[in-house]
Amino acid sequence: MALLILGLIFFLVGALALRRPSSLSPYARILRLAGLGIALIGVLAACIVQIGAGEIGVQVLYGSVQNNVLPSGLHFINPLVNVVHMDTKTQNYTMSAIHNEGAKEGDDAIRVLSADGLEVVIDLTVLYKVIPSAAPEILRQTGTDYTDKIVRPLARTKIRDNAVYYDAVSLYSTKRDEFQTRINKSIEDDFHRRGLLLEQILIRNITLPQAVKTSIEQKITAEQDAQKMQFVLQKERQEAERKRVEAQGIADYQKIISESLTDRQLQYESIKAQLEIAKSPNTKIIVMGKGSAPVILDTKGQ
């Protein structure tokens, strides 16, 4: 459009120079031709528009939004049409308590009341994208700032509406996935009616009140201590069982030995021992008596 205006200016200056003699009169024809050339280039440039990858173009003619959209690529259009580029790639909107981490500066986390009346702080990321066929309606009804007008308020409202069905500890632990699924279903239909496709709701962090958090930590510590004590007791029981089995084995062994040792067996073993002593090189006198044990006299050194 700028080239078209510039070309018209050159053309008008050249036309005036032909009608009124001046220092520009010798260049009047050149100015008119240059003006026509620049204007023609401007018209051609205005007729060509390029839509980038992951974008669509919505045509607006004198404030009226056209229903047909331009996909990615090069297009020839009416030079009077204004094309609004809209992103159709996956976008994310983060609400976080950490400074400069979310879309808004400062603490932008969602504060909700749980079923037990406690305030819970939730960090959240919304993944969504524009439905290409609905882009003209979004531009017509909402404009290009649909993030602040649709995504942010809807997400925050639905989070608060659904958090009241859960107590704080359940949100933090066992019911977290269920809560995330619930708000996904709750927001999905509202987004779709407004031309947006909800891909996923990501609960990044849930912060409980400090008193509740301390109580949970103490409970976890107590459970860990109880599990540790159960392990120690189990180990002691196993050790006691091992000793009992060992003692029983010794008792059984002694019983078997005592039952198998008869008088004849003992006499036989005694004779064998005496025989070994007799074979010894040491000088000794063995006095055999009527008893079961002989008397051994050591004569060494006498």
Side-chain angles (χ1 to χ4, degrees):
M1 187 61 69
L3 290 176
L4 179 60
I5 295 173
L6 182 62
L8 290 176
I9 292 173
F10 271 81
F11 182 81
L12 290 175
V13 170
L16 290 174
L18 284 177
R19 292 184 179 182
R20 298 178 182 180
S22 64
S23 59
L24 295 176
S25 297
Y27 308 102
R29 187 177 298 276
I30 297 175
L31 289 173
R32 290 175 64 188
L33 291 175
L36 287 174
I38 294 173
L40 181 60
I41 293 173
V43 170
L44 291 175
C47 290
I48 300 174
V49 63
Q50 181 178 352
I51 308 299
E55 293 182 344
I56 57 171
V58 180
Q59 302 179 73
V60 181
L61 181 61
Y62 298 121
S64 176
V65 179
Q66 309 298 305
N67 289 326
N68 58 317
V69 297
L70 303 175
S72 301
L74 196 65
H75 302 275
F76 290 92
I77 61 171
N78 184 340
L80 301 177
V81 167
N82 179 37
V83 178
V84 178
H85 295 247
M86 297 185 69
D87 193 351
T88 56
K89 299 187 294 293
T90 298
Q91 303 177 58
N92 74 82
Y93 189 85
T94 297
M95 291 165 277
S96 173
I98 301 176
H99 185 71
N100 288 335
E101 188 177 55
K104 300 285 186 180
E105 290 189 3
D107 185 354
D108 192 39
I110 306 171
R111 284 165 171 77
V112 302
L113 287 179
S114 61
D116 47 0
L118 296 175
E119 185 182 70
V120 179
V121 181
I122 299 176
D123 288 5
L124 187 76
T125 294
V126 184
L127 299 179
Y128 67 97
K129 61 183 178 182
V130 172
I131 301 174
S133 59
E137 189 63 22
I138 293 176
L139 188 60
R140 191 179 293 118
Q141 299 292 336
T142 307
T144 56
D145 55 343
Y146 47 84
T147 298
D148 290 331
K149 292 182 178 179
I150 298 177
V151 177
R152 177 182 170 82
L154 263 179
R156 296 179 76 90
T157 300
K158 293 299 182 180
I159 288 290
R160 293 191 177 100
D161 290 346
N162 287 280
V164 297
Y165 296 103
Y166 303 90
D167 58 75
V169 176
S170 296
L171 280 177
Y172 184 78
S173 55
T174 58
K175 300 292 185 180
R176 181 167 180 162
D177 291 340
E178 179 184 320
F179 176 60
Q180 183 169 294
T181 302
R182 185 186 184 110
I183 58 178
N184 261 288
K185 293 180 179 178
S186 177
I187 297 176
E188 187 175 15
D189 292 339
D190 288 334
F191 268 36
H192 195 272
R193 283 196 296 270
R194 290 166 173 80
L196 300 176
L197 177 64
L198 177 66
E199 293 189 343
Q200 195 172 8
I201 292 286
L202 301 175
I203 297 178
R204 304 169 65 250
N205 188 36
I206 295 179
T207 304
L208 299 177
Q210 187 59 42
V212 178
K213 189 176 180 181
T214 301
S215 176
I216 292 175
E217 290 174 350
Q218 291 174 348
K219 180 181 178 182
I220 293 174
T221 301
E223 289 175 350
Q224 290 176 345
D225 291 342
Q227 291 176 357
K228 182 178 179 180
M229 182 57 65
Q230 289 178 359
F231 174 77
V232 172
L233 290 175
Q234 184 179 3
K235 185 177 180 181
E236 292 297 330
R237 290 191 191 99
Q238 291 174 347
E239 180 64 17
E241 180 66 17
R242 185 191 67 79
K243 290 181 178 180
R244 188 190 67 79
V245 172
E246 182 181 10
Q248 184 65 42
I250 294 173
D252 292 344
Y253 170 77
Q254 291 175 345
K255 182 179 180 181
I256 292 171
I257 293 298
S258 64
E259 290 177 352
S260 63
L261 289 178
T262 62
D263 292 340
R264 290 183 176 277
Q265 180 68 25
L266 290 173
Q267 186 177 10
Y268 173 72
E269 294 295 333
S270 176
I271 293 171
K272 286 173 54 178
Q274 294 170 20
L275 181 60
E276 292 297 326
I277 294 173
K279 292 179 180 180
S280 169
N282 297 327
T283 304
K284 60 188 73 66
I285 298 174
I286 301 175
V287 181
M288 304 294 292
K290 293 182 179 180
S292 58
V295 177
I296 303 173
L297 300 176
D298 186 2
T299 60
K300 186 179 181 179
Q302 293 182 359

